[in-house]
Amino acid sequence: MTTAEFKPRPRLPEWLRIKLPTADTFSRTRSLLDELKLHTVCESAKCPNHWECWSKGTATFMIAGDRCTRACQFCAVSTAKPLPLEADEPMRVAEATRRMGLKHVVITAVARDDMADGGADHFRQTIEAVRKLSPGIVIEVLTPDFLDKEEPIDAVLSANPHIFNHNLETVRRLTPSVRHRATYDRSLSVLKKVKAKRGDSIYTKSGMMLGLGEREDEVLEAMRDLREAKCDILTLGQYLQPTLKHLAVEAFVTPDQFAAYGEQARAMGFVHVASGPMVRSSYHADEFTLPSGPGR
Ligand code: SF4
């Protein structure tokens, strides 16, 4: 356990205060997810945009259970021995996607290091089920690193997601203290592999949390490393401590600094960049429209 748990949480700056919603879309989203017994990373990771996204009728599905085999110091998803996969979960995700009328779906999963394929085939089945019930939908997957193995990556790619997202999460120096089992180079390698296998027929995407103690030169180095891995899309957002047991926030990065990073990222060649305090991997993911339609 880190010493982080003894630090009092600092007061949030104005730009991070959440405005509560009034729309009843939030409760409709809640009921639908309850009815179909689905997990979302919105809830499991205590995402600060939970109210906003659900009020707009969007959510990020988290498949393969809600127990993760890893224990990253920034993440609120529970670490525990996972339960067996539920064979009907892909269909339930597909049904929720259809009923929510999503045009762009984001599907993520806990890390299943207990399984030989890391849960990759479950991703494949979910993508296929979603496409069956919602033809024409843009499908984005946010995957674990699958230990950088070829077969699981191939399994996910075989279902032809439009966007393959795998987060770098933080800069090289901080990776060992922020992530559990994952390495900086392995994450870059996963992104490189996807591009090497699929080229321009897929968009790759990655994201980092800022405010963990990283320096500006380290952020720029990570952005360059991602471009070197031919990563197309970048998200940068403020890290917020989900509970007192998690890593403390070291700095609140100002909106101006986020904007400056965004400009630098665009200058490096990322085709789409979302950089701001409330940005998360899946926040406003549908704002990125595929330039030449799905399956370019
Ligand atoms: S930003 Fe992503 S994880 Fe957070 S509430 Fe929105 S859809 Fe869910």
Side-chain angles (χ1 to χ4, degrees):
M1 197 49 61
T2 68
T3 53
E5 64 192 279
F6 301 110
K7 283 195 189 176
R9 279 205 260 192
R11 191 171 158 75
L12 292 178
E14 185 59 40
W15 63 77
L16 287 167
R17 306 232 180 104
I18 298 158
K19 293 168 193 65
L20 291 182
T22 49
D24 67 357
T25 315
F26 181 90
S27 43
R28 280 204 300 276
T29 307
R30 156 91 287 147
S31 314
L32 178 65
L33 295 168
D34 283 349
E35 180 194 332
L36 293 170
K37 296 187 174 47
L38 291 170
H39 300 296
T40 62
V41 76
C42 323
E43 279 191 301
S44 298
K46 300 190 188 303
C47 180
N49 300 320
H50 179 185
W51 291 98
E52 181 190 335
C53 292
W54 285 28
S55 300
K56 290 195 319 186
T58 63
T60 295
F61 300 108
M62 189 176 78
I63 59 172
D66 62 349
R67 298 171 168 201
C68 189
T69 47
R70 299 195 186 177
C72 297
Q73 291 294 310
F74 65 88
C75 183
V77 175
S78 323
T79 305
K81 189 165 181 259
L83 299 170
L85 294 180
E86 294 170 353
D88 64 344
E89 187 179 50
M91 219 43 218
R92 286 187 274 124
V93 171
E95 177 62 14
T97 303
R98 185 187 67 78
R99 284 208 235 161
M100 289 165 85
L102 301 182
K103 303 274 179 285
H104 182 130
V105 66
V106 185
I107 303 162
T108 190
V110 290
R112 293 292 305 244
D113 294 331
D114 57 314
M115 300 180 66
D117 77 344
D121 196 61
H122 202 63
F123 260 111
R124 178 191 64 75
Q125 291 177 39
T126 307
I127 297 167
E128 289 174 355
V130 165
R131 184 171 288 122
K132 200 165 170 190
L133 293 200
S134 306
I137 192 169
V138 174
I139 301 176
E140 173 172 342
V141 287
L142 169 58
T143 76
D145 65 16
F146 297 125
L147 302 172
D148 197 26
K149 292 189 202 157
E150 300 277 342
E151 299 78 12
I153 294 172
D154 287 340
V156 175
L157 291 179
S158 72
N160 294 316
H162 300 98
I163 301 169
F164 189 108
N165 185 351
H166 173 65
N167 283 334
L168 199 54
E169 309 290 10
T170 187
V171 299
R172 181 183 289 280
R173 175 177 58 88
L174 297 179
T175 296
S177 55
V178 170
R179 304 174 74 190
H180 176 229
R181 296 193 71 191
T183 72
Y184 184 87
D185 287 313
R186 190 194 286 148
S187 287
L188 289 174
S189 176
V190 169
L191 291 163
K192 261 185 214 156
K193 277 195 172 78
V194 172
K195 262 300 175 191
K197 289 169 187 288
R198 288 301 172 102
D200 283 347
S201 66
I202 197 164
Y203 287 92
T204 49
K205 174 172 173 180
S206 192
M208 286 193 292
M209 304 166 288
L210 304 185
L212 285 161
E214 68 289 330
R215 298 187 311 266
E216 184 175 341
D217 62 299
E218 293 175 308
V219 175
L220 296 177
E221 182 197 24
M223 295 195 310
R224 278 193 297 272
D225 288 342
L226 285 168
R227 279 304 295 140
E228 180 118 354
K230 300 197 165 35
C231 180
D232 298 304
I233 303 170
L234 178 71
T235 58
L236 299 174
Q238 169 70 50
Y239 167 69
L240 292 174
Q241 186 184 35
T243 76
L244 289 173
K245 290 186 178 169
H246 291 85
L247 284 175
V249 173
E250 293 296 328
F252 289 113
V253 178
T254 64
D256 285 351
Q257 181 65 63
F258 273 108
Y261 281 136
E263 272 179 35
Q264 285 161 303
R266 281 177 209 102
M268 284 183 200
F270 288 99
V271 297
H272 183 76
V273 179
S275 179
M278 300 305 278
V279 168
R280 299 294 179 266
S281 299
S282 46
Y283 186 56
H284 292 196
D286 57 354
E287 286 178 0
F288 171 65
T289 45
L290 303 181
S292 50
R296 72 172 172 153

